[in-house]
Amino acid sequence: MENSFGKLFTITSFGESHGRCVGVIIDGCPAGLPLTEDDVQKEVDKRRPQTAAVSTSRTEEDKVEILSGIFNGFTTGAPLSLLIWNKDIDSSEYQKTRHLLRPGHADYTAFIKYGGFNDFRGGGRFSGRITATFVMAGAVARKLLNLIDVEVLAHTIEIGGVKAQPKPPDDVRKNVDQNPLRCADPEAAREMLQVIEQARDEGDSVGGIIEGMAFNIPVGLGEPVFDTLEGDLAKALFAIPAVKGIEFGSGFSAAQKRGSENNDPFIIKNGKIVTTTNNAGGILGGISNGMPIVVRVAVKPTPSIASRQQTVNIEKMESASLEVRGRHDACIVPRAVPVVESMMAVTLCDFAIRAGIIPEVIK
Amino acid sequence: MENSFGKLFTITSFGESHGRCVGVIIDGCPAGLPLTEDDVQKEVDKRRPQTAAVSTSRTEEDKVEILSGIFNGFTTGAPLSLLIWNKDIDSSEYQKTRHLLRPGHADYTAFIKYGGFNDFRGGGRFSGRITATFVMAGAVARKLLNLIDVEVLAHTIEIGGVKAQPKPPDDVRKNVDQNPLRCADPEAAREMLQVIEQARDEGDSVGGIIEGMAFNIPVGLGEPVFDTLEGDLAKALFAIPAVKGIEFGSGFSAAQKRGSENNDPFIIKNGKIVTTTNNAGGILGGISNGMPIVVRVAVKPTPSIASRQQTVNIEKMESASLEVRGRHDACIVPRAVPVVESMMAVTLCDFAIRAGIIPEVIK
Amino acid sequence: MENSFGKLFTITSFGESHGRCVGVIIDGCPAGLPLTEDDVQKEVDKRRPQTAAVSTSRTEEDKVEILSGIFNGFTTGAPLSLLIWNKDIDSSEYQKTRHLLRPGHADYTAFIKYGGFNDFRGGGRFSGRITATFVMAGAVARKLLNLIDVEVLAHTIEIGGVKAQPKPPDDVRKNVDQNPLRCADPEAAREMLQVIEQARDEGDSVGGIIEGMAFNIPVGLGEPVFDTLEGDLAKALFAIPAVKGIEFGSGFSAAQKRGSENNDPFIIKNGKIVTTTNNAGGILGGISNGMPIVVRVAVKPTPSIASRQQTVNIEKMESASLEVRGRHDACIVPRAVPVVESMMAVTLCDFAIRAGIIPEVIK
Amino acid sequence: MENSFGKLFTITSFGESHGRCVGVIIDGCPAGLPLTEDDVQKEVDKRRPQTAAVSTSRTEEDKVEILSGIFNGFTTGAPLSLLIWNKDIDSSEYQKTRHLLRPGHADYTAFIKYGGFNDFRGGGRFSGRITATFVMAGAVARKLLNLIDVEVLAHTIEIGGVKAQPKPPDDVRKNVDQNPLRCADPEAAREMLQVIEQARDEGDSVGGIIEGMAFNIPVGLGEPVFDTLEGDLAKALFAIPAVKGIEFGSGFSAAQKRGSENNDPFIIKNGKIVTTTNNAGGILGGISNGMPIVVRVAVKPTPSIASRQQTVNIEKMESASLEVRGRHDACIVPRAVPVVESMMAVTLCDFAIRAGIIPEVIK
């Protein structure tokens, strides 16, 4: 396992879905940042399901505790440790079906890799619950990015085939928290909700696409040739369970564009060099160019579905069928929106520290 | 800059497009691998343009030299250093236009990040030529993967809007080297060639999509939650200039699928657990599941185009226009195919060593 | 700050002396290791002062809790998190004297480095208490090393100028826990105790030397030229507060030896290649040679002393004097013995995993 | 193998003693540093033996070439690659005695670790020649440290039991290059020379101690708890073949001191906080305190001696005897002095960049 990410701002995730807790260590957070448990709680709360229609997940309140790294309300330069105790856990269903490999889940790969010793309850380390640790780290990263006026913003742009109309950033900012879908297009949001409810009623699930943006990025973040901004953002985002595709700017559609169309012309605006379009998604040569970073993330439909599925009993090595019971989201896309924001924030924060833009001590 | 990739099988790239050489250090290659310069040369030659129609690039022969790490024809466990001397370089055009930021290139971001000290000639470190260092490393990685029967195979599946018909792996293997497009569908290849020629004639360029596959992958590669197989493959592939999107298995199309449709059912076949479909692209929970790894990579159209483009003179801080002269590929997709293979091989090799599947000494 | 150590077996330390807890995350522990809190508690208890004569430290019981990474009594391959809650803490003295830089401590350097935001209470991150996190990690490392029959053993060989007579390993093993000094020479131990008591009575402190040994080491651990066995062991041991010198085998005395005297002749014994002497301390070229690893660690006298010392009030920037009050060990050497063992175990375990000698899954 | 060192200023060493070359890649060197091959050559020349009396080593001139990373006389931010081609190599003696394990060398450990595939000629990767790559990296690091007025200075303080009189830094600076021993005490130097000549005449060798100092160090370098200044300096210095001990400040002698004696009192001098003594060797809590860094390095006697030694023929697995022929230094201490300086410079430079004291671009 490799549960750390980031070179100078390094997060280390630990904990399991049905274990005692989930938590994260943040090493390399500059000293002098004002930080309270509430700062982090606020972000973690965004991960909670907004409506029973979308999600039937645990209703437990995830209460954040900071165990180290703060003193008198400020970060100290020592590692921050943040933790959420697990509650409200019934693992009996997982015990009963433990040898039935859930399709689309890590049951099989984890079983083989860890010799059957992995904690399978609720998916263990592979549970969506682990993303709470990403969000805790993201909350700290966002506070640091605030210091240099960088804003990270994600929203749902597609669910179950329903696409949101493109909206200008201001509308996204305003609308994203207005509906449980975290979609800036209210009309599309309504349709998405119907699609999700229908899938759920049919014992099925749907996927979607999240767009992440970052504004006011200084020019020069990214450390090519390997630690490119795209590369490290992608690595960070692929750590979110269910993400199966990533694209920046014009992304896959660039494959169908001409160079003359896809190149972003440079102009001078208010004394600054900007591009008139942003097909690059704010990144040229793996380095931020000052335009908004734009990334889109494909989220597969929740693999846990109520419908009967074909699978294998790995103990008996024989065919079997499985109905996944318990509380599962028919669509995890809305809950993944703050997670996308968090992993973007963590990555950008690390690059900003590497570039010396966020200093070792906040004054 | 951060020019190293890989945890135990670590490659470090160096050199510039118009400098003295491009090269790569490979640290962590097991001892006892038979290796000659020809083994590497063979792979590097694949990067050369196959036809003037596709590319008008330097015609120089890239001759690989191994400077360290082999003895009596075998790797020694010491770092391998491989190098190609640069030749046939005329940098005068770059000198003349050095303050004109080429749209779609790293000129602007590199200028700011490195304070104007970057070697801008031919794009310097941001040139496609740097991928020759990836291919040298990939050649070694592939020899190591051969030992455990892993095969990496990439091919062009779309160029300038022309999509290849899906072909079974055997056809891809057979056809990929039969045309300069590295496209397994000969008919599509012919169309692609026309599209490229037309773009070139119009002073323009086109992009495309490459599919990479890896066969016979052992179950268990990948180190979640952060060093996932998807995450590290994506990071490796985003190091290739012009790549702007990555997806695994059903990828972005998963966003439109139901869970019942996207989940790959498990069955037992010849005593082994396999899935009947491969929407996961061979990866579950960030870990290989034994099915073929399938990744698709979006390549933007070559930013160097002959048509006049709007830009900025960064020295004078004023608007300007630019026609990029010199030798440029109207489509780099075919030449990127072996680079995709190489970065996949490097990543998979690193994970195989981490998992102990390729040992420290080859016997 | 950089609070992680180890490449594949990676420990991340967190917590402060007077904060809520001290803890450690262990990432890369193979799955399948039987592990209980008692296994770790046993080692942590060794860090407790053995007698009031040597130490007047907190009498609190350090109770180890494992928060993640085990399931049904075995490690799962997921990160282990181990934690000790702090109790019995009175920080008032530190508050009062917070601007008086304690000589020999990190007060000044930490104040400057962290801009005055560091948690100064009890030394914060620089407290000897942090070594409890090393011992927790060491306990797990030792269980892993047990699997390959590697034994790590440390003992006090000098305190306050009193040198122990060299003893054969069997005597060390037998005697080390027989006295509170952890000294295998009972006579010297008695003298050491007197020296410590005298220093304590005079408001002063003494230092000493610890010898660490590791037996049954496989040939081949160490990854030169930079990740040498000496280099990484030294780095690990210098993380222990108060350590100011490290030597291997004949160490500093080698400077006075002839080559003919210092070289260890090779012979064959029971079909194995061994050396007749061990001036190399078990390491040649940075790689273990199968002989016992022998390292000696110089521990400075405890900087916290009751006598009045000259210092500076950093707030007022004026001269001041200071008597350090509170509970302090007049000699920390005996308590550092298990810490030396722990950091040796952590380092050797990491190298054994890197060399593939301890596999990813314990069977 | 792990041939990279440094977190942000990362050096990667490659090459073998009798291979084609030795070289180093420096990644993370800020852009804008004026750098010529002469800058580096000057330092590399210091590694050459100063007199046949001390050394009978290869007389070849080591000519430094910079292959990448500079443009118009300045560093570009891209990786620097520096290389010395090997010449004047006769490997026949090594071929003849290849199965005779040279005592005190890495022959045995490398043979086992690399399965006999290691390049044994001249010690291969384990040769002192590899330190030329350290010195090339050190030359660049020193130029960077110059920018912040940090000076690194090493000198011989003991050889073959002959101890130099302690000298103030000014005398060291002045005298160190006045004799081939690099000893600031001319009288001791003469004695050392005799001791070396005598050892050589008797087919033997001697070791010694080097003291390294660094002046004008900013307060705050070092990243505890693991990346301490002591720990990383030690790791860097143990990469130098033959180094078997390291101590900082009062070092091993601290074990015999009282706390009241070893603690360095703080005072204010010229408005700055300093200590009246420097038993800490400039490091408190693993962080620089602004006082000179003082480290002493024990160098074992050259293992290559002309006298007959007992050993093992590893092919035949039988006892054997060996006289090591060829050119060998009877004492490598003087030649190791610039290597100690170099590894100190590399380490300090990395920490200065991590602390943001040396920026990404030199202006």
Side-chain angles (χ1 to χ4, degrees):
Chain A
M1 281 233 162
E2 180 58 73
N3 296 280
S4 295
F5 179 81
K7 187 147 181 174
L8 293 190
F9 182 83
T10 310
I11 70 172
T12 300
S13 166
F14 62 94
E16 298 88 11
S17 181
H18 289 214
R20 292 188 60 188
C21 64
V22 293
V24 70
I25 309 295
I26 304 174
D27 198 12
C29 180
L33 179 76
L35 184 72
T36 65
E37 290 176 345
D38 278 352
D39 291 332
V40 183
Q41 188 70 53
K42 215 172 46 189
E43 298 295 323
V44 167
D45 287 347
K46 291 191 194 161
R47 246 191 93 259
R48 300 183 68 194
Q50 303 296 302
T51 166
V54 177
S55 165
T56 55
S57 282
R58 301 185 197 172
T59 53
E60 68 178 86
E61 193 188 337
D62 285 337
K63 193 154 163 354
V64 174
E65 296 187 25
I66 305 184
L67 299 192
S68 72
I70 52 169
F71 180 48
N72 292 334
F74 292 88
T75 58
T76 62
L80 287 159
S81 53
L82 302 99
L83 187 138
I84 296 168
W85 298 105
N86 289 331
K87 293 175 269 185
D88 176 22
I89 301 177
D90 173 12
S91 304
S92 54
E93 193 62 33
Y94 291 100
Q95 294 282 4
K96 274 185 263 170
T97 58
R98 61 173 299 186
H99 293 111
L100 298 179
L101 307 173
R102 292 172 301 157
H105 278 288
D107 295 356
Y108 173 52
T109 52
F111 185 93
I112 299 298
K113 185 170 186 70
Y114 306 110
F117 290 104
N118 59 302
D119 182 351
F120 53 79
R121 299 169 304 165
R125 271 307 277 169
F126 298 89
S127 165
R129 182 160 180 75
I130 297 310
T131 61
T133 71
F134 302 175
V135 174
M136 289 192 281
V140 177
R142 294 178 81 160
K143 288 210 72 172
L144 289 165
L145 291 173
N146 279 349
L147 299 172
I148 55 168
D149 290 325
V150 167
E151 179 197 11
V152 177
L153 180 63
H155 59 127
T156 301
I157 59 168
E158 184 175 333
I159 281 181
V162 181
K163 291 182 204 317
Q165 289 298 315
K167 300 280 174 187
D170 269 351
D171 287 15
V172 175
R173 211 172 273 123
K174 209 169 54 194
N175 293 349
V176 66
D177 290 330
Q178 300 305 313
N179 59 65
L181 283 304
R182 301 195 194 276
C183 174
D185 173 352
E187 215 159 316
R190 271 187 296 275
E191 260 188 86
M192 290 171 180
L193 195 53
Q194 287 172 354
V195 167
I196 295 171
E197 288 173 340
Q198 193 181 340
R200 185 199 57 199
D201 293 347
E202 296 171 22
D204 216 330
S205 64
V206 289
I209 301 178
I210 295 166
E211 183 176 73
M213 299 177 288
F215 301 101
N216 206 25
I217 294 290
V219 186
L221 300 191
E223 303 290 337
V225 297
F226 290 119
D227 290 2
T228 63
L229 208 41
E230 288 115 330
D232 272 10
L233 280 169
K235 177 164 174 169
L237 292 167
F238 275 122
I240 306 173
V243 170
K244 295 302 276 190
I246 309 260
E247 62 176 13
F248 293 89
S250 57
F252 274 88
S253 76
Q256 286 145 27
K257 289 205 167 90
R258 284 282 185 95
S260 58
E261 187 187 358
N262 194 63
N263 285 351
D264 302 306
F266 288 106
I267 59 164
I268 298 175
K269 197 173 160 183
N270 304 327
K272 279 177 56 186
I273 295 171
V274 297
T275 58
T276 57
T277 52
N278 189 16
N279 288 312
I283 307 173
L284 285 171
I287 301 171
S288 61
N289 68 0
M291 298 297 292
I293 289 174
V294 180
V295 59
R296 274 175 303 279
V297 173
V299 180
K300 72 178 184 184
T302 325
S304 294
I305 54 175
S307 303
R308 183 160 294 275
Q309 298 180 81
Q310 181 180 2
T311 188
V312 161
N313 181 315
I314 197 169
E315 191 189 34
K316 303 187 179 161
M317 276 301 277
E318 63 184 27
S319 284
S321 77
L322 169 74
E323 287 168 64
V324 180
R325 292 172 204 276
R327 303 156 308 185
H328 299 292
D329 297 2
C331 180
I332 60 156
V333 174
R335 297 185 69 191
V337 167
V339 185
V340 166
E341 285 180 353
S342 296
M343 289 312 292
M344 288 181 70
V346 164
T347 309
L348 293 169
C349 187
D350 188 35
F351 277 120
I353 290 175
R354 286 168 75 166
I357 294 166
I358 300 176
E360 222 181 18
V361 178
I362 312 295
K363 290 187 182 145
Chain B
M1 282 232 159
E2 182 56 75
N3 296 280
S4 295
F5 180 81
K7 188 147 184 175
L8 293 191
F9 182 83
T10 310
I11 69 173
T12 300
S13 166
F14 62 94
E16 298 89 12
S17 181
H18 288 212
R20 292 188 60 189
C21 65
V22 293
V24 70
I25 309 295
I26 304 173
D27 198 12
C29 179
L33 180 75
L35 184 73
T36 66
E37 290 176 345
D38 278 352
D39 291 332
V40 183
Q41 189 69 54
K42 215 171 49 188
E43 297 296 322
V44 168
D45 288 346
K46 291 191 194 161
R47 244 191 95 260
R48 301 184 66 195
Q50 304 297 301
T51 165
V54 176
S55 164
T56 56
S57 283
R58 304 184 195 175
T59 52
E60 69 176 84
E61 194 189 334
D62 285 338
K63 196 162 161 347
V64 174
E65 296 187 25
I66 304 183
L67 300 191
S68 72
I70 50 168
F71 180 49
N72 292 335
F74 291 88
T75 58
T76 63
L80 286 159
S81 53
L82 302 99
L83 187 138
I84 297 168
W85 298 104
N86 288 333
K87 295 175 268 186
D88 175 22
I89 303 178
D90 173 12
S91 304
S92 54
E93 193 62 33
Y94 291 99
Q95 292 282 2
K96 274 185 265 173
T97 58
R98 61 172 296 189
H99 293 112
L100 299 179
L101 306 173
R102 292 172 302 158
H105 278 288
D107 294 358
Y108 173 53
T109 52
F111 184 93
I112 299 298
K113 185 169 186 71
Y114 306 110
F117 290 104
N118 59 303
D119 182 351
F120 53 80
R121 300 168 303 165
R125 270 307 276 169
F126 298 89
S127 165
R129 182 158 180 77
I130 298 310
T131 60
T133 70
F134 302 174
V135 174
M136 288 192 281
V140 177
R142 293 177 82 160
K143 288 209 71 170
L144 288 165
L145 291 174
N146 279 348
L147 299 172
I148 55 168
D149 290 324
V150 167
E151 179 197 12
V152 177
L153 179 63
H155 60 126
T156 302
I157 60 168
E158 182 174 335
I159 280 181
V162 181
K163 292 182 202 317
Q165 290 298 315
K167 300 279 174 189
D170 269 351
D171 286 15
V172 176
R173 210 171 275 123
K174 208 168 56 194
N175 293 350
V176 67
D177 289 330
Q178 300 305 312
N179 59 65
L181 283 305
R182 300 197 193 275
C183 175
D185 173 353
E187 215 160 316
R190 272 188 296 276
E191 260 189 87
M192 289 171 182
L193 195 53
Q194 287 172 354
V195 168
I196 295 171
E197 286 173 340
Q198 193 182 339
R200 185 200 57 201
D201 293 347
E202 296 170 23
D204 217 330
S205 65
V206 289
I209 300 178
I210 295 166
E211 184 176 74
M213 299 176 286
F215 302 101
N216 205 26
I217 295 289
V219 185
L221 300 191
E223 301 291 334
V225 295
F226 290 119
D227 291 1
T228 63
L229 207 42
E230 289 114 330
D232 273 9
L233 280 168
K235 176 164 175 170
L237 292 167
F238 274 121
I240 306 173
V243 169
K244 295 300 276 190
I246 309 261
E247 61 176 16
F248 294 88
S250 56
F252 274 88
S253 76
Q256 286 145 27
K257 291 205 166 90
R258 286 281 185 93
S260 58
E261 187 186 0
N262 195 62
N263 284 351
D264 302 307
F266 288 106
I267 58 163
I268 297 174
K269 196 172 159 184
N270 304 328
K272 281 178 53 187
I273 295 172
V274 297
T275 58
T276 57
T277 52
N278 189 16
N279 288 311
I283 307 174
L284 285 171
I287 301 170
S288 61
N289 68 2
M291 297 296 291
I293 288 174
V294 180
V295 58
R296 273 174 305 277
V297 172
V299 180
K300 73 177 181 184
T302 325
S304 295
I305 55 175
S307 306
R308 183 161 293 274
Q309 298 179 82
Q310 182 181 0
T311 189
V312 162
N313 181 317
I314 197 169
E315 190 189 33
K316 304 186 181 163
M317 275 303 275
E318 63 184 28
S319 284
S321 77
L322 170 73
E323 289 169 61
V324 181
R325 292 173 204 274
R327 303 157 307 187
H328 298 293
D329 297 1
C331 181
I332 60 157
V333 174
R335 295 185 69 192
V337 167
V339 185
V340 166
E341 285 180 354
S342 296
M343 289 311 293
M344 288 180 69
V346 164
T347 310
L348 292 170
C349 186
D350 188 35
F351 277 120
I353 291 174
R354 285 168 76 167
I357 294 167
I358 300 176
E360 222 181 16
V361 177
I362 312 296
K363 293 191 179 142
Chain C
M1 282 231 160
E2 182 56 76
N3 296 281
S4 295
F5 179 81
K7 189 150 182 173
L8 293 191
F9 182 83
T10 310
I11 70 173
T12 300
S13 165
F14 62 94
E16 298 89 11
S17 181
H18 290 212
R20 292 187 60 188
C21 65
V22 294
V24 69
I25 309 294
I26 304 172
D27 198 12
C29 179
L33 180 75
L35 184 72
T36 66
E37 290 177 345
D38 278 352
D39 291 332
V40 183
Q41 189 70 54
K42 213 171 50 188
E43 298 295 323
V44 168
D45 287 346
K46 292 191 193 161
R47 244 191 94 260
R48 301 184 67 195
Q50 303 297 301
T51 165
V54 177
S55 164
T56 56
S57 282
R58 302 186 196 173
T59 52
E60 68 178 86
E61 193 190 335
D62 286 337
K63 191 153 167 354
V64 174
E65 295 187 25
I66 304 183
L67 301 191
S68 72
I70 49 169
F71 180 49
N72 292 336
F74 291 89
T75 58
T76 62
L80 286 160
S81 53
L82 302 99
L83 188 138
I84 296 168
W85 297 104
N86 289 332
K87 293 175 267 185
D88 174 23
I89 302 178
D90 173 12
S91 304
S92 54
E93 194 62 33
Y94 291 99
Q95 293 282 2
K96 275 185 263 172
T97 59
R98 60 173 298 188
H99 293 112
L100 299 179
L101 306 173
R102 292 172 303 157
H105 277 289
D107 294 358
Y108 174 52
T109 52
F111 184 93
I112 299 297
K113 186 170 186 70
Y114 305 111
F117 291 104
N118 59 302
D119 182 350
F120 53 80
R121 298 168 305 165
R125 270 308 275 169
F126 298 89
S127 166
R129 180 158 180 77
I130 299 309
T131 60
T133 70
F134 302 175
V135 173
M136 288 191 281
V140 177
R142 293 177 82 161
K143 288 209 70 170
L144 288 165
L145 291 174
N146 279 349
L147 299 172
I148 54 168
D149 290 325
V150 167
E151 178 197 11
V152 177
L153 179 63
H155 60 126
T156 301
I157 60 168
E158 182 175 334
I159 280 182
V162 181
K163 292 183 203 316
Q165 290 297 316
K167 301 278 174 187
D170 269 351
D171 286 15
V172 176
R173 210 171 276 122
K174 207 168 56 194
N175 293 350
V176 67
D177 289 331
Q178 301 305 312
N179 59 65
L181 284 304
R182 300 196 193 277
C183 173
D185 173 352
E187 215 159 318
R190 271 188 296 276
E191 261 188 85
M192 290 171 181
L193 195 54
Q194 286 172 355
V195 167
I196 295 171
E197 287 172 340
Q198 192 181 343
R200 186 199 57 200
D201 293 347
E202 296 170 22
D204 217 331
S205 64
V206 290
I209 300 177
I210 295 166
E211 184 176 74
M213 299 177 287
F215 301 100
N216 205 25
I217 295 289
V219 185
L221 300 192
E223 302 290 335
V225 296
F226 290 119
D227 290 1
T228 62
L229 207 42
E230 288 114 330
D232 272 11
L233 280 169
K235 177 164 175 170
L237 292 168
F238 274 120
I240 306 173
V243 170
K244 295 300 276 189
I246 309 262
E247 61 175 15
F248 293 89
S250 55
F252 274 88
S253 77
Q256 287 145 26
K257 290 207 167 90
R258 285 283 186 90
S260 58
E261 188 186 358
N262 195 61
N263 284 350
D264 302 307
F266 287 107
I267 58 163
I268 297 174
K269 196 172 159 183
N270 304 328
K272 280 177 54 186
I273 295 172
V274 297
T275 58
T276 57
T277 53
N278 190 16
N279 287 311
I283 307 173
L284 285 171
I287 300 170
S288 62
N289 68 1
M291 297 297 291
I293 289 175
V294 179
V295 59
R296 273 175 304 278
V297 173
V299 180
K300 73 177 182 185
T302 324
S304 295
I305 55 175
S307 305
R308 183 161 293 274
Q309 298 180 82
Q310 182 181 2
T311 189
V312 162
N313 181 315
I314 197 168
E315 191 189 33
K316 304 186 180 163
M317 275 303 274
E318 63 183 28
S319 284
S321 77
L322 169 74
E323 288 168 62
V324 181
R325 292 172 204 274
R327 303 157 307 187
H328 299 293
D329 297 2
C331 180
I332 60 157
V333 174
R335 296 184 69 192
V337 167
V339 185
V340 167
E341 285 180 354
S342 295
M343 289 311 294
M344 288 181 69
V346 164
T347 309
L348 292 169
C349 185
D350 188 35
F351 277 119
I353 291 174
R354 286 169 75 167
I357 294 167
I358 300 175
E360 221 180 19
V361 178
I362 313 295
K363 285 174 188 157
Chain D
M1 281 233 162
E2 181 57 73
N3 295 280
S4 296
F5 179 80
K7 187 146 180 174
L8 293 190
F9 182 84
T10 310
I11 70 172
T12 301
S13 166
F14 62 94
E16 298 89 11
S17 181
H18 289 213
R20 291 188 60 190
C21 65
V22 292
V24 70
I25 309 295
I26 304 174
D27 198 11
C29 180
L33 179 76
L35 184 72
T36 66
E37 290 176 345
D38 278 352
D39 291 333
V40 183
Q41 188 70 53
K42 215 171 48 187
E43 298 295 323
V44 167
D45 287 347
K46 291 191 193 161
R47 247 191 92 259
R48 300 184 67 196
Q50 303 296 301
T51 166
V54 177
S55 165
T56 55
S57 282
R58 302 184 195 174
T59 53
E60 69 177 85
E61 193 188 336
D62 284 337
K63 197 161 160 346
V64 173
E65 296 187 24
I66 305 183
L67 300 192
S68 73
I70 52 170
F71 180 48
N72 293 334
F74 291 88
T75 58
T76 62
L80 287 159
S81 52
L82 302 100
L83 187 138
I84 296 168
W85 297 105
N86 289 332
K87 295 175 269 187
D88 176 22
I89 302 178
D90 173 11
S91 303
S92 54
E93 193 63 33
Y94 291 99
Q95 293 283 1
K96 274 185 264 170
T97 58
R98 62 173 298 188
H99 293 112
L100 299 179
L101 307 173
R102 291 172 303 157
H105 277 288
D107 295 357
Y108 173 52
T109 51
F111 184 93
I112 299 298
K113 185 170 186 70
Y114 305 111
F117 290 104
N118 59 303
D119 181 352
F120 53 79
R121 299 168 304 164
R125 271 307 276 169
F126 298 88
S127 165
R129 183 160 178 76
I130 296 310
T131 61
T133 70
F134 301 175
V135 173
M136 289 192 280
V140 177
R142 294 178 81 159
K143 289 209 71 171
L144 288 165
L145 291 174
N146 279 349
L147 299 172
I148 55 168
D149 290 324
V150 167
E151 179 198 10
V152 177
L153 178 64
H155 60 127
T156 301
I157 59 168
E158 183 175 333
I159 280 181
V162 180
K163 290 182 203 318
Q165 289 297 315
K167 301 279 175 188
D170 269 352
D171 287 15
V172 175
R173 212 172 273 123
K174 209 170 54 194
N175 293 350
V176 67
D177 290 331
Q178 301 305 311
N179 59 64
L181 283 306
R182 301 195 194 277
C183 174
D185 173 352
E187 215 159 316
R190 272 188 296 275
E191 259 189 86
M192 289 171 181
L193 195 54
Q194 286 172 354
V195 167
I196 295 172
E197 287 173 339
Q198 193 182 340
R200 185 200 57 200
D201 293 347
E202 296 171 21
D204 216 329
S205 65
V206 290
I209 300 178
I210 294 166
E211 183 176 73
M213 298 178 288
F215 302 101
N216 206 25
I217 294 289
V219 186
L221 300 191
E223 302 291 335
V225 297
F226 290 120
D227 290 2
T228 62
L229 208 41
E230 290 114 330
D232 272 11
L233 280 168
K235 176 164 174 169
L237 293 167
F238 274 121
I240 306 173
V243 169
K244 295 301 276 189
I246 310 260
E247 62 175 14
F248 294 88
S250 56
F252 274 88
S253 77
Q256 287 145 25
K257 290 206 167 88
R258 285 282 186 94
S260 58
E261 187 186 359
N262 194 63
N263 284 352
D264 301 306
F266 288 106
I267 58 164
I268 298 175
K269 198 172 159 183
N270 304 326
K272 280 177 55 185
I273 295 172
V274 297
T275 57
T276 57
T277 51
N278 189 16
N279 287 312
I283 307 173
L284 285 171
I287 300 171
S288 61
N289 68 0
M291 298 297 291
I293 289 174
V294 180
V295 59
R296 275 175 303 279
V297 173
V299 180
K300 72 177 183 184
T302 325
S304 294
I305 55 175
S307 304
R308 182 160 294 274
Q309 297 179 82
Q310 181 181 3
T311 189
V312 161
N313 181 315
I314 197 170
E315 190 189 34
K316 303 187 180 160
M317 276 301 277
E318 63 184 28
S319 284
S321 77
L322 169 74
E323 287 169 64
V324 180
R325 291 171 205 277
R327 303 157 308 187
H328 298 292
D329 297 2
C331 180
I332 59 156
V333 174
R335 298 184 69 192
V337 167
V339 184
V340 166
E341 284 180 354
S342 296
M343 289 312 293
M344 287 181 71
V346 164
T347 309
L348 292 169
C349 187
D350 187 36
F351 277 119
I353 291 175
R354 286 169 75 166
I357 294 167
I358 300 175
E360 222 181 17
V361 178
I362 312 296
K363 295 196 176 133

